[in-house]
Amino acid sequence: MEAPHNSPAAETVSEPTGATAPDAVGAGPEAVTMTLTVTSPEQMQDLGRRLARVLAPGDLVMLTGELGAGKTTLTRGLGEGLGVRGAVTSPTFVIARVHPSLVQGPALVHVDAYRLGGGLDEMEDLDLDVSLPESVVVVEWGDGKVEELAEDRLRILIDRATGDTDDERREVTLVGIGARWAGLREQLA
């Protein structure tokens, strides 16, 4: 579905789903799923700013998508929306970056688990469980690695066209897992 030129993103909303769909793996019956179409990096960053309005200390956000899908661009928007210090760039080679708040809000902990092979055990050195209560923790490539950190979490799947294409369109699926995300649709409206 193509986004109208004057809107930040076209939106389709799915009803709550169980764990039968591949995109809802581990979601459970109380998951809330919604899908947005984003047609440019600017819209992806704007989506991050919109999401930042609903995030709170203790929130775990897991980002999944191909290389170049827009995970870091979305996180850059989250950082802007949260009002954090420092440029949000991919933490691939440092694994994690902490961006303190400049506006008395939660810090943004940005983790790239791409090079980490193990589960939560391998990530324990990052002390994410210690950072989580007072921060918003965003983990790229976190599927199968950080779910145990929080019963309630927001899983964001970004699908893009692959191959030799300059298509900027992305399908962004938000899966709110747990009671914390029950009002996700209303919060993003």
Side-chain angles (χ1 to χ4, degrees), residues 70-113:
K71 297 178 298 296
T72 300
T73 301
L74 178 72
T75 306
R76 188 172 299 119
L78 289 173
E80 288 176 10
L82 291 171
V84 300
R85 184 179 72 208
V88 176
T89 59
S90 178
T92 299
F93 297 105
V94 296
I95 312 274
R97 284 196 171 93
V98 178
H99 298 275
S101 176
L102 295 171
V103 295
Q104 307 304 316
L108 172 65
V109 178
H110 184 197
V111 179
D112 188 328

mmCIF file of all heavy atoms in Angstrom, residues 70-113:
data_model
loop_
_atom_site.group_PDB
_atom_site.id
_atom_site.type_symbol
_atom_site.label_atom_id
_atom_site.label_comp_id
_atom_site.label_asym_id
_atom_site.label_seq_id
_atom_site.Cartn_x
_atom_site.Cartn_y
_atom_site.Cartn_z
ATOM 1 N N GLY A 70 16.661 -0.061 7.638
ATOM 2 C CA GLY A 70 16.270 1.187 8.287
ATOM 3 C C GLY A 70 16.236 1.118 9.806
ATOM 4 O O GLY A 70 15.675 2.001 10.454
ATOM 5 N N LYS A 71 16.825 0.084 10.382
ATOM 6 C CA LYS A 71 16.812 -0.076 11.841
ATOM 7 C C LYS A 71 17.495 1.095 12.550
ATOM 8 O O LYS A 71 16.951 1.652 13.495
ATOM 9 C CB LYS A 71 17.477 -1.401 12.246
ATOM 10 C CG LYS A 71 16.751 -2.633 11.730
ATOM 11 C CD LYS A 71 17.445 -3.926 12.096
ATOM 12 C CE LYS A 71 18.827 -4.090 11.545
ATOM 13 N NZ LYS A 71 18.919 -4.156 10.078
ATOM 14 N N THR A 72 18.666 1.472 12.072
ATOM 15 C CA THR A 72 19.382 2.580 12.707
ATOM 16 C C THR A 72 18.695 3.910 12.411
ATOM 17 O O THR A 72 18.647 4.792 13.274
ATOM 18 C CB THR A 72 20.857 2.595 12.266
ATOM 19 O OG1 THR A 72 21.461 1.354 12.664
ATOM 20 C CG2 THR A 72 21.617 3.741 12.901
ATOM 21 N N THR A 73 18.121 4.069 11.234
ATOM 22 C CA THR A 73 17.379 5.288 10.911
ATOM 23 C C THR A 73 16.193 5.442 11.847
ATOM 24 O O THR A 73 15.933 6.534 12.367
ATOM 25 C CB THR A 73 16.922 5.265 9.440
ATOM 26 O OG1 THR A 73 18.072 5.142 8.602
ATOM 27 C CG2 THR A 73 16.142 6.512 9.076
ATOM 28 N N LEU A 74 15.468 4.358 12.099
ATOM 29 C CA LEU A 74 14.360 4.389 13.045
ATOM 30 C C LEU A 74 14.874 4.752 14.441
ATOM 31 O O LEU A 74 14.281 5.590 15.137
ATOM 32 C CB LEU A 74 13.648 3.031 13.077
ATOM 33 C CG LEU A 74 12.491 2.920 14.064
ATOM 34 C CD1 LEU A 74 11.296 3.717 13.568
ATOM 35 C CD2 LEU A 74 12.101 1.472 14.266
ATOM 36 N N THR A 75 15.989 4.165 14.842
ATOM 37 C CA THR A 75 16.554 4.439 16.162
ATOM 38 C C THR A 75 17.017 5.886 16.267
ATOM 39 O O THR A 75 16.904 6.512 17.328
ATOM 40 C CB THR A 75 17.704 3.464 16.476
ATOM 41 O OG1 THR A 75 17.228 2.122 16.303
ATOM 42 C CG2 THR A 75 18.209 3.638 17.895
ATOM 43 N N ARG A 76 17.526 6.446 15.182
ATOM 44 C CA ARG A 76 17.914 7.863 15.169
ATOM 45 C C ARG A 76 16.697 8.729 15.488
ATOM 46 O O ARG A 76 16.777 9.677 16.274
ATOM 47 C CB ARG A 76 18.511 8.226 13.811
ATOM 48 C CG ARG A 76 19.124 9.595 13.748
ATOM 49 C CD ARG A 76 19.884 9.823 12.439
ATOM 50 N NE ARG A 76 20.975 8.861 12.309
ATOM 51 C CZ ARG A 76 21.094 7.970 11.333
ATOM 52 N NH1 ARG A 76 20.191 7.901 10.380
ATOM 53 N NH2 ARG A 76 22.104 7.140 11.292
ATOM 54 N N GLY A 77 15.553 8.393 14.895
ATOM 55 C CA GLY A 77 14.313 9.114 15.200
ATOM 56 C C GLY A 77 13.900 8.938 16.650
ATOM 57 O O GLY A 77 13.436 9.882 17.294
ATOM 58 N N LEU A 78 14.060 7.719 17.185
ATOM 59 C CA LEU A 78 13.773 7.496 18.606
ATOM 60 C C LEU A 78 14.631 8.409 19.467
ATOM 61 O O LEU A 78 14.150 9.026 20.425
ATOM 62 C CB LEU A 78 14.040 6.036 18.991
ATOM 63 C CG LEU A 78 13.081 4.987 18.478
ATOM 64 C CD1 LEU A 78 13.600 3.581 18.801
ATOM 65 C CD2 LEU A 78 11.699 5.180 19.049
ATOM 66 N N GLY A 79 15.918 8.490 19.138
ATOM 67 C CA GLY A 79 16.827 9.338 19.895
ATOM 68 C C GLY A 79 16.413 10.799 19.855
ATOM 69 O O GLY A 79 16.429 11.491 20.877
ATOM 70 N N GLU A 80 16.028 11.271 18.671
ATOM 71 C CA GLU A 80 15.563 12.658 18.548
ATOM 72 C C GLU A 80 14.316 12.873 19.390
ATOM 73 O O GLU A 80 14.199 13.864 20.109
ATOM 74 C CB GLU A 80 15.265 12.995 17.089
ATOM 75 C CG GLU A 80 16.491 13.134 16.235
ATOM 76 C CD GLU A 80 16.137 13.377 14.772
ATOM 77 O OE1 GLU A 80 14.950 13.622 14.450
ATOM 78 O OE2 GLU A 80 17.058 13.311 13.943
ATOM 79 N N GLY A 81 13.376 11.930 19.296
ATOM 80 C CA GLY A 81 12.129 12.054 20.036
ATOM 81 C C GLY A 81 12.318 11.980 21.540
ATOM 82 O O GLY A 81 11.594 12.633 22.302
ATOM 83 N N LEU A 82 13.285 11.205 21.989
ATOM 84 C CA LEU A 82 13.566 11.087 23.421
ATOM 85 C C LEU A 82 14.434 12.248 23.920
ATOM 86 O O LEU A 82 14.576 12.438 25.124
ATOM 87 C CB LEU A 82 14.264 9.759 23.723
ATOM 88 C CG LEU A 82 13.425 8.503 23.556
ATOM 89 C CD1 LEU A 82 14.306 7.254 23.667
ATOM 90 C CD2 LEU A 82 12.299 8.461 24.605
ATOM 91 N N GLY A 83 15.037 12.989 23.007
ATOM 92 C CA GLY A 83 15.887 14.114 23.395
ATOM 93 C C GLY A 83 17.186 13.681 24.042
ATOM 94 O O GLY A 83 17.565 14.184 25.096
ATOM 95 N N VAL A 84 17.882 12.749 23.393
ATOM 96 C CA VAL A 84 19.121 12.227 23.971
ATOM 97 C C VAL A 84 20.345 12.895 23.370
ATOM 98 O O VAL A 84 20.287 13.498 22.295
ATOM 99 C CB VAL A 84 19.216 10.688 23.814
ATOM 100 C CG1 VAL A 84 18.052 10.000 24.517
ATOM 101 C CG2 VAL A 84 19.303 10.277 22.355
ATOM 102 N N ARG A 85 21.457 12.764 24.072
ATOM 103 C CA ARG A 85 22.727 13.351 23.641
ATOM 104 C C ARG A 85 23.453 12.409 22.687
ATOM 105 O O ARG A 85 23.419 11.201 22.835
ATOM 106 C CB ARG A 85 23.609 13.610 24.869
ATOM 107 C CG ARG A 85 24.916 14.315 24.506
ATOM 108 C CD ARG A 85 25.760 14.584 25.713
ATOM 109 N NE ARG A 85 26.298 13.301 26.177
ATOM 110 C CZ ARG A 85 26.610 13.037 27.428
ATOM 111 N NH1 ARG A 85 26.448 13.931 28.359
ATOM 112 N NH2 ARG A 85 27.099 11.855 27.755
ATOM 113 N N GLY A 86 24.136 12.996 21.739
ATOM 114 C CA GLY A 86 24.991 12.218 20.843
ATOM 115 C C GLY A 86 24.272 11.788 19.582
ATOM 116 O O GLY A 86 23.064 11.593 19.564
ATOM 117 N N ALA A 87 25.057 11.649 18.531
ATOM 118 C CA ALA A 87 24.527 11.175 17.256
ATOM 119 C C ALA A 87 24.231 9.687 17.365
ATOM 120 O O ALA A 87 25.066 8.914 17.837
ATOM 121 C CB ALA A 87 25.536 11.430 16.143
ATOM 122 N N VAL A 88 23.046 9.295 16.970
ATOM 123 C CA VAL A 88 22.682 7.881 16.977
ATOM 124 C C VAL A 88 23.174 7.280 15.673
ATOM 125 O O VAL A 88 22.669 7.593 14.596
ATOM 126 C CB VAL A 88 21.167 7.685 17.157
ATOM 127 C CG1 VAL A 88 20.800 6.211 17.054
ATOM 128 C CG2 VAL A 88 20.706 8.257 18.492
ATOM 129 N N THR A 89 24.185 6.428 15.793
ATOM 130 C CA THR A 89 24.748 5.731 14.646
ATOM 131 C C THR A 89 24.754 4.248 14.964
ATOM 132 O O THR A 89 24.558 3.848 16.111
ATOM 133 C CB THR A 89 26.184 6.209 14.347
ATOM 134 O OG1 THR A 89 26.992 5.974 15.504
ATOM 135 C CG2 THR A 89 26.211 7.694 13.993
ATOM 136 N N SER A 90 25.013 3.440 13.966
ATOM 137 C CA SER A 90 25.014 1.993 14.178
ATOM 138 C C SER A 90 26.117 1.602 15.167
ATOM 139 O O SER A 90 27.277 1.963 14.976
ATOM 140 C CB SER A 90 25.239 1.261 12.857
ATOM 141 O OG SER A 90 25.286 -0.135 13.094
ATOM 142 N N PRO A 91 25.764 0.868 16.211
ATOM 143 C CA PRO A 91 26.769 0.436 17.183
ATOM 144 C C PRO A 91 27.401 -0.912 16.841
ATOM 145 O O PRO A 91 27.903 -1.608 17.715
ATOM 146 C CB PRO A 91 25.962 0.351 18.481
ATOM 147 C CG PRO A 91 24.605 -0.060 18.026
ATOM 148 C CD PRO A 91 24.409 0.592 16.667
ATOM 149 N N THR A 92 27.410 -1.284 15.565
ATOM 150 C CA THR A 92 27.874 -2.609 15.162
ATOM 151 C C THR A 92 29.246 -2.951 15.724
ATOM 152 O O THR A 92 29.461 -4.055 16.211
ATOM 153 C CB THR A 92 27.903 -2.729 13.623
ATOM 154 O OG1 THR A 92 26.572 -2.544 13.144
ATOM 155 C CG2 THR A 92 28.403 -4.092 13.189
ATOM 156 N N PHE A 93 30.179 -2.038 15.689
ATOM 157 C CA PHE A 93 31.540 -2.375 16.095
ATOM 158 C C PHE A 93 31.820 -2.117 17.564
ATOM 159 O O PHE A 93 32.822 -2.570 18.093
ATOM 160 C CB PHE A 93 32.543 -1.654 15.191
ATOM 161 C CG PHE A 93 32.405 -2.104 13.766
ATOM 162 C CD1 PHE A 93 31.793 -1.296 12.825
ATOM 163 C CD2 PHE A 93 32.815 -3.371 13.379
ATOM 164 C CE1 PHE A 93 31.622 -1.733 11.519
ATOM 165 C CE2 PHE A 93 32.652 -3.817 12.081
ATOM 166 C CZ PHE A 93 32.054 -2.992 11.147
ATOM 167 N N VAL A 94 30.933 -1.401 18.243
ATOM 168 C CA VAL A 94 31.098 -1.213 19.685
ATOM 169 C C VAL A 94 30.059 -2.001 20.474
ATOM 170 O O VAL A 94 30.085 -2.023 21.684
ATOM 171 C CB VAL A 94 31.023 0.283 20.085
ATOM 172 C CG1 VAL A 94 32.159 1.063 19.488
ATOM 173 C CG2 VAL A 94 29.689 0.880 19.740
ATOM 174 N N ILE A 95 29.149 -2.636 19.803
ATOM 175 C CA ILE A 95 28.061 -3.454 20.325
ATOM 176 C C ILE A 95 26.964 -2.614 20.975
ATOM 177 O O ILE A 95 25.797 -2.817 20.703
ATOM 178 C CB ILE A 95 28.536 -4.540 21.328
ATOM 179 C CG1 ILE A 95 29.718 -5.291 20.772
ATOM 180 C CG2 ILE A 95 27.390 -5.445 21.743
ATOM 181 C CD1 ILE A 95 29.440 -6.449 19.896
ATOM 182 N N ALA A 96 27.313 -1.659 21.865
ATOM 183 C CA ALA A 96 26.274 -0.882 22.544
ATOM 184 C C ALA A 96 26.744 0.550 22.771
ATOM 185 O O ALA A 96 27.918 0.788 23.036
ATOM 186 C CB ALA A 96 25.907 -1.529 23.870
ATOM 187 N N ARG A 97 25.783 1.463 22.676
ATOM 188 C CA ARG A 97 26.031 2.871 22.992
ATOM 189 C C ARG A 97 24.929 3.340 23.932
ATOM 190 O O ARG A 97 23.762 3.007 23.744
ATOM 191 C CB ARG A 97 25.976 3.743 21.741
ATOM 192 C CG ARG A 97 27.169 3.650 20.865
ATOM 193 C CD ARG A 97 27.195 4.825 19.871
ATOM 194 N NE ARG A 97 28.452 4.839 19.171
ATOM 195 C CZ ARG A 97 28.668 4.244 18.012
ATOM 196 N NH1 ARG A 97 27.713 3.586 17.425
ATOM 197 N NH2 ARG A 97 29.856 4.308 17.446
ATOM 198 N N VAL A 98 25.307 4.158 24.906
ATOM 199 C CA VAL A 98 24.343 4.770 25.809
ATOM 200 C C VAL A 98 24.261 6.246 25.466
ATOM 201 O O VAL A 98 25.282 6.937 25.414
ATOM 202 C CB VAL A 98 24.743 4.585 27.288
ATOM 203 C CG1 VAL A 98 23.748 5.285 28.197
ATOM 204 C CG2 VAL A 98 24.849 3.107 27.632
ATOM 205 N N HIS A 99 23.041 6.711 25.212
ATOM 206 C CA HIS A 99 22.788 8.118 24.909
ATOM 207 C C HIS A 99 21.987 8.701 26.068
ATOM 208 O O HIS A 99 20.781 8.469 26.173
ATOM 209 C CB HIS A 99 21.996 8.258 23.603
ATOM 210 C CG HIS A 99 22.707 7.724 22.408
ATOM 211 N ND1 HIS A 99 23.618 8.474 21.693
ATOM 212 C CD2 HIS A 99 22.661 6.511 21.817
ATOM 213 C CE1 HIS A 99 24.088 7.752 20.688
ATOM 214 N NE2 HIS A 99 23.529 6.551 20.749
ATOM 215 N N PRO A 100 22.625 9.473 26.961
ATOM 216 C CA PRO A 100 21.908 10.059 28.096
ATOM 217 C C PRO A 100 20.886 11.091 27.621
ATOM 218 O O PRO A 100 21.053 11.733 26.586
ATOM 219 C CB PRO A 100 23.007 10.740 28.914
ATOM 220 C CG PRO A 100 24.302 10.270 28.347
ATOM 221 C CD PRO A 100 24.037 9.791 26.960
ATOM 222 N N SER A 101 19.854 11.259 28.419
ATOM 223 C CA SER A 101 18.813 12.227 28.108
ATOM 224 C C SER A 101 19.305 13.639 28.365
ATOM 225 O O SER A 101 20.013 13.904 29.329
ATOM 226 C CB SER A 101 17.572 11.958 28.963
ATOM 227 O OG SER A 101 16.591 12.947 28.723
ATOM 228 N N LEU A 102 18.887 14.548 27.507
ATOM 229 C CA LEU A 102 19.146 15.973 27.697
ATOM 230 C C LEU A 102 17.921 16.687 28.256
ATOM 231 O O LEU A 102 17.964 17.881 28.511
ATOM 232 C CB LEU A 102 19.545 16.620 26.368
ATOM 233 C CG LEU A 102 20.853 16.136 25.751
ATOM 234 C CD1 LEU A 102 21.026 16.695 24.339
ATOM 235 C CD2 LEU A 102 22.026 16.531 26.631
ATOM 236 N N VAL A 103 16.813 15.937 28.434
ATOM 237 C CA VAL A 103 15.536 16.549 28.825
ATOM 238 C C VAL A 103 14.909 15.863 30.034
ATOM 239 O O VAL A 103 13.699 15.875 30.201
ATOM 240 C CB VAL A 103 14.552 16.553 27.638
ATOM 241 C CG1 VAL A 103 15.049 17.427 26.510
ATOM 242 C CG2 VAL A 103 14.275 15.138 27.148
ATOM 243 N N GLN A 104 15.724 15.282 30.875
ATOM 244 C CA GLN A 104 15.251 14.605 32.095
ATOM 245 C C GLN A 104 14.384 13.380 31.801
ATOM 246 O O GLN A 104 13.596 12.963 32.638
ATOM 247 C CB GLN A 104 14.490 15.579 33.013
ATOM 248 C CG GLN A 104 15.240 16.849 33.345
ATOM 249 C CD GLN A 104 16.602 16.582 33.970
ATOM 250 O OE1 GLN A 104 16.730 15.741 34.837
ATOM 251 N NE2 GLN A 104 17.612 17.285 33.499
ATOM 252 N N GLY A 105 14.528 12.797 30.623
ATOM 253 C CA GLY A 105 13.799 11.584 30.272
ATOM 254 C C GLY A 105 14.718 10.382 30.382
ATOM 255 O O GLY A 105 15.834 10.473 30.914
ATOM 256 N N PRO A 106 14.265 9.246 29.871
ATOM 257 C CA PRO A 106 15.105 8.046 29.935
ATOM 258 C C PRO A 106 16.261 8.114 28.943
ATOM 259 O O PRO A 106 16.161 8.750 27.887
ATOM 260 C CB PRO A 106 14.140 6.917 29.551
ATOM 261 C CG PRO A 106 13.106 7.578 28.698
ATOM 262 C CD PRO A 106 12.968 8.984 29.247
ATOM 263 N N ALA A 107 17.354 7.481 29.302
ATOM 264 C CA ALA A 107 18.477 7.320 28.376
ATOM 265 C C ALA A 107 18.065 6.331 27.290
ATOM 266 O O ALA A 107 17.151 5.517 27.480
ATOM 267 C CB ALA A 107 19.704 6.805 29.116
ATOM 268 N N LEU A 108 18.736 6.393 26.168
ATOM 269 C CA LEU A 108 18.555 5.424 25.092
ATOM 270 C C LEU A 108 19.783 4.534 25.075
ATOM 271 O O LEU A 108 20.906 5.017 24.927
ATOM 272 C CB LEU A 108 18.406 6.132 23.741
ATOM 273 C CG LEU A 108 18.401 5.237 22.497
ATOM 274 C CD1 LEU A 108 17.172 4.330 22.492
ATOM 275 C CD2 LEU A 108 18.453 6.082 21.232
ATOM 276 N N VAL A 109 19.575 3.233 25.275
ATOM 277 C CA VAL A 109 20.653 2.261 25.157
ATOM 278 C C VAL A 109 20.437 1.564 23.818
ATOM 279 O O VAL A 109 19.424 0.896 23.617
ATOM 280 C CB VAL A 109 20.645 1.242 26.320
ATOM 281 C CG1 VAL A 109 21.752 0.215 26.131
ATOM 282 C CG2 VAL A 109 20.789 1.959 27.658
ATOM 283 N N HIS A 110 21.376 1.747 22.899
ATOM 284 C CA HIS A 110 21.260 1.234 21.530
ATOM 285 C C HIS A 110 22.261 0.099 21.360
ATOM 286 O O HIS A 110 23.467 0.323 21.440
ATOM 287 C CB HIS A 110 21.532 2.373 20.558
ATOM 288 C CG HIS A 110 21.345 2.015 19.122
ATOM 289 N ND1 HIS A 110 21.869 2.789 18.108
ATOM 290 C CD2 HIS A 110 20.698 0.994 18.504
ATOM 291 C CE1 HIS A 110 21.546 2.259 16.939
ATOM 292 N NE2 HIS A 110 20.840 1.164 17.155
ATOM 293 N N VAL A 111 21.749 -1.103 21.127
ATOM 294 C CA VAL A 111 22.574 -2.304 21.055
ATOM 295 C C VAL A 111 22.451 -2.922 19.669
ATOM 296 O O VAL A 111 21.357 -2.982 19.111
ATOM 297 C CB VAL A 111 22.117 -3.345 22.118
ATOM 298 C CG1 VAL A 111 22.949 -4.610 22.033
ATOM 299 C CG2 VAL A 111 22.149 -2.752 23.510
ATOM 300 N N ASP A 112 23.559 -3.384 19.145
ATOM 301 C CA ASP A 112 23.559 -4.137 17.893
ATOM 302 C C ASP A 112 24.077 -5.534 18.218
ATOM 303 O O ASP A 112 25.253 -5.716 18.487
ATOM 304 C CB ASP A 112 24.450 -3.458 16.862
ATOM 305 C CG ASP A 112 24.329 -4.106 15.488
ATOM 306 O OD1 ASP A 112 24.091 -5.329 15.418
ATOM 307 O OD2 ASP A 112 24.485 -3.396 14.483
ATOM 308 N N ALA A 113 23.186 -6.506 18.204
ATOM 309 C CA ALA A 113 23.542 -7.877 18.578
ATOM 310 C C ALA A 113 23.925 -8.724 17.373
ATOM 311 O O ALA A 113 24.062 -9.940 17.483
ATOM 312 C CB ALA A 113 22.378 -8.521 19.331
#
